[in-house]
Amino acid sequence: MHLKNYMEDAVDQMMDRVLKDLDVCKCDRCRMDIKALALNNLPPKYVVSEEGELYVKTNELVRQFEVDIIKAITMAAIKVNNNKRH
């Protein structure tokens, strides 16, 4: 058994889709900064069991959940692009 923040998987799944439409740096360093910033601005969704993960995946289909993730990634990408660390 292990503790997992499912929100990290959700951000990973949507990151490419969101970033392809943005004129921002997409290097590995900036992508990690974007992911970290987005996750810090989203509520964690911790799961311990497979059942918990299935429950979270089911709730993930709710449109607002997707909108929140897209907004967090977009805002993080703009902030990181304006403050590149390379």
Side-chain angles (χ1 to χ4, degrees):
M1 225 181 332
H2 68 281
L3 184 64
K4 174 181 175 179
N5 180 3
Y6 184 74
M7 189 62 79
E8 188 170 346
D9 289 347
V11 168
D12 283 339
Q13 290 173 5
M14 298 186 78
M15 183 90 88
D16 288 336
R17 189 173 84 186
V18 174
L19 293 183
K20 75 176 173 64
D21 295 327
L22 298 176
D23 183 24
V24 298
C25 181
K26 297 168 182 81
C27 74
D28 288 342
R29 176 65 185 244
C30 285
R31 287 179 64 86
M32 290 302 288
D33 285 345
I34 292 166
K35 180 179 175 180
L37 190 56
L39 286 169
N40 281 333
N41 288 300
L42 288 164
K45 300 285 184 200
Y46 288 104
V47 295
V48 175
S49 65
E50 286 184 32
E51 294 83 12
E53 189 167 350
L54 288 174
Y55 174 76
V56 172
K57 283 182 180 179
T58 301
N59 281 345
E60 167 184 64
L61 301 176
V62 177
R63 179 62 65 194
Q64 187 60 48
F65 188 71
E66 281 190 5
V67 169
D68 291 345
I69 293 171
I70 291 168
K71 179 181 175 187
I73 293 172
T74 302
M75 299 303 290
I78 292 167
K79 187 169 188 173
V80 168
N81 198 61
N82 290 335
N83 299 285
K84 294 180 193 104
R85 299 194 304 155
H86 57 79

